[in-house]
Amino acid sequence: MNSDRTHREAVDRYGDAPNSPAEALKHVLAVYAGEPDEMVVLTATTRVYLDAPWTGLRLGDLRALAAQLTA
């Protein structure tokens, strides 16, 4: 079945499903490893603040958090 093959390929590539926030962060970074730091991964607000038309997290922010957790 195609979905079984897709599942096996995903597990081979990304490992088992994460079981903690730290594992989830590592998993997200593995999935998006080739993407630029500027990639938006979570938008909190848009057009709420005059000095910050957008708030949220970019992939580079997640990479920096991961580096702090492993330091």
Side-chain angles (χ1 to χ4, degrees), residues 4-71:
D4 290 337
R5 188 185 84 219
T6 301
H7 171 76
R8 281 192 309 273
E9 289 173 358
V11 170
D12 288 346
R13 186 170 183 177
Y14 304 121
D16 293 329
N19 291 311
S20 70
E23 288 179 9
L25 177 57
K26 184 178 176 182
H27 175 75
V28 168
L29 294 177
V31 170
Y32 291 101
E35 298 298 330
D37 283 346
E38 296 78 25
M39 180 180 155
V40 172
V41 292
L42 177 69
T43 297
T45 66
T46 54
R47 296 187 301 264
V48 171
Y49 304 102
L50 295 177
D51 59 340
W54 173 90
T55 63
L57 294 170
R58 297 182 189 277
L59 194 52
D61 298 327
L62 295 184
R63 289 177 175 137
L65 286 171
Q68 289 176 5
L69 291 174
T70 59

